[in-house]
Amino acid sequence: MSTIWKERRIELLGEGFRSNDLLRNLQTIPGKSGGSLIANPVAPSAANYIFPLPNTEISTNKLLLQ
């Protein structure tokens, strides 16, 4: 199975699928550095691992319960 994921990473390099694959497989999201900001890696057990719903979705969908 790891061979399949490795081939997928190679084939889709630069396409923007890496984060979705990490979330799907409950793997740690690596930290990114750019300019003066350095983000720490996010573990699957962290509260900010799953992104919150957008405010536009919350305000327009009256059936949504939080």
Side-chain angles (χ1 to χ4, degrees), residues 23-37:
L23 289 169
R24 185 179 297 118
N25 293 306
L26 294 176
Q27 294 178 336
T28 300
I29 299 172
K32 296 183 168 94
S33 62
S36 62
L37 299 174

Side-chain angles (χ1 to χ4, degrees), residues 3-15:
T3 306
I4 294 171
W5 286 112
K6 183 177 179 182
E7 283 297 317
R8 178 178 166 82
R9 284 183 63 194
I10 292 169
E11 185 175 333
L12 298 175
L13 181 67
E15 299 287 334

Side-chain angles (χ1 to χ4, degrees), residues 15-62:
E15 299 287 334
F17 290 99
R18 178 89 171 116
S19 294
N20 292 335
D21 287 343
L22 292 173
L23 289 169
R24 185 179 297 118
N25 293 306
L26 294 176
Q27 294 178 336
T28 300
I29 299 172
K32 296 183 168 94
S33 62
S36 62
L37 299 174
I38 299 175
N40 293 327
V42 180
S45 59
N48 61 342
Y49 189 74
I50 302 297
F51 301 110
L53 294 172
N55 286 334
T56 54
E57 185 68 27
I58 294 170
S59 64
T60 57
N61 189 346
K62 302 301 180 197

